[in-house]
Amino acid sequence: MELSPAGRWADLPEDIALAVASRLQEADVCALGGCSRSWRGACDADCIWERLFRCRWPAASAEASASASRVQGWKALYISQHRRMAFAISNVIEFVGSSINDGSLESEYYLKAIADLALIPDIGFLDVQFFLFSRNCSAIINLIGLHYSIASLHVLPTEVSKALQAHRVSERVVCVNLLKLGRWFYGFRLPDEYESRKISLGELTMAEGAEILAILNRGAVHEVFRLRISLVNVDK
């Protein structure tokens, strides 16, 4: 009697099952492992989770082998590292949330959040995507993840753009507000200048966004007396 399609998949040789699982990302590996007992065995294999760990946290791979044996395998090590990342990044997200006033974040808090991310050991672009590009976060959090990825992780803007699109946040819009002190001219002080720029997260990964990211990176210095980032269309 011919096996059902599900039966044929369940009866795959172990090496083929491992080859299939090795081509998947974390969420897909977990989903596939829930299909049957045989798939669970393949998807829990150390070689699968070692690859996922080294891909996500290459800087941590040097000491990971010894740690994997202490915590009973690469999957357990991956889960432990993921939880540490979640805790550390959630602290940054909570700080930003508590610093937002009337939908706006002052540049000093914005830059502190980026600096705090840089202090998290082994944080990588996949961590940014997991925790900072979520639609459950505000556009300001998404922006911080975008800025950190380009400026600190040196991820290509095109790759950041693809990630924003994949997480369906690229169309979110932020507003950058600047207050420039009036210059002195022949003993008279000219009026202060207010400037406001609205731009989507996707546009910030393009050439036109480089100038705004540079302004955000400088913060409130020199002629810029105050710099704030505001939410636009917060319901998106």
Side-chain angles (χ1 to χ4, degrees):
M1 182 175 66
E2 185 178 357
L3 291 173
S4 67
R8 288 198 296 270
W9 277 107
D11 292 336
L12 280 177
E14 182 181 1
D15 58 336
I16 296 179
L18 287 173
V20 172
S22 68
R23 287 164 171 76
L24 303 177
Q25 296 303 313
E26 295 86 342
D28 298 321
V29 170
C30 293
L32 182 60
C35 292
S36 69
R37 185 177 301 173
S38 59
W39 276 117
R40 187 181 308 118
C43 293
D44 284 349
D46 255 10
C47 61
I48 301 298
W49 289 96
E50 179 180 2
R51 178 189 66 83
L52 292 172
F53 186 99
R54 293 186 185 280
C55 179
R56 183 170 172 183
W57 299 293
S61 296
E63 301 176 358
S65 297
S67 299
S69 61
R70 289 199 302 270
V71 297
Q72 299 179 335
W74 283 94
K75 183 177 181 180
L77 179 63
Y78 184 98
I79 293 172
S80 176
Q81 180 81 342
H82 178 87
R83 287 173 176 168
R84 282 197 294 269
M85 283 292 169
F87 178 76
I89 295 175
S90 68
N91 287 336
V92 177
I93 293 174
E94 289 176 11
F95 164 75
V96 173
S98 65
S99 302
I100 291 177
N101 185 22
D102 292 331
S104 296
L105 182 69
E106 298 288 343
S107 62
E108 60 183 294
Y109 301 125
Y110 175 87
L111 292 174
K112 183 181 185 308
I114 292 178
D116 287 347
L117 287 174
L119 295 176
I120 300 175
D122 305 320
I123 184 173
F125 187 43
L126 284 175
D127 297 303
V128 172
Q129 294 180 65
F130 265 114
F131 303 113
L132 300 177
F133 285 176
S134 169
R135 285 181 59 83
N136 294 327
C137 296
S138 72
I140 290 179
I141 294 294
N142 300 154
L143 171 61
I144 289 171
L146 179 161
H147 195 162
Y148 179 75
S149 297
I150 294 175
S152 300
L153 297 179
H154 308 295
V155 179
L156 292 175
T158 53
E159 294 303 312
V160 176
S161 177
K162 291 177 184 177
L164 292 171
Q165 292 174 32
H167 289 80
R168 297 183 294 123
V169 296
S170 63
E171 298 303 317
R172 286 182 166 180
V173 178
V174 294
C175 183
V176 178
N177 305 287
L178 298 90
L179 169 59
K180 295 182 179 180
L181 295 179
R183 294 177 292 111
W184 287 93
F185 185 74
Y186 289 104
F188 294 93
R189 188 168 176 270
L190 299 177
D192 295 339
E193 298 178 23
Y194 293 89
E195 187 176 342
S196 180
R197 302 189 191 182
K198 293 181 181 179
I199 189 167
S200 72
L201 299 181
E203 290 170 336
L204 281 167
T205 64
M206 303 176 186
E208 60 193 281
E211 179 187 357
I212 293 181
L213 289 180
I215 291 172
L216 291 173
N217 206 44
R218 288 197 303 269
V221 295
H222 304 306
E223 78 283 359
V224 179
F225 179 71
R226 191 178 189 186
L227 174 62
R228 292 183 300 166
I229 305 96
S230 302
L231 294 169
V232 178
N233 297 331
V234 294
D235 57 325
K236 283 192 174 183

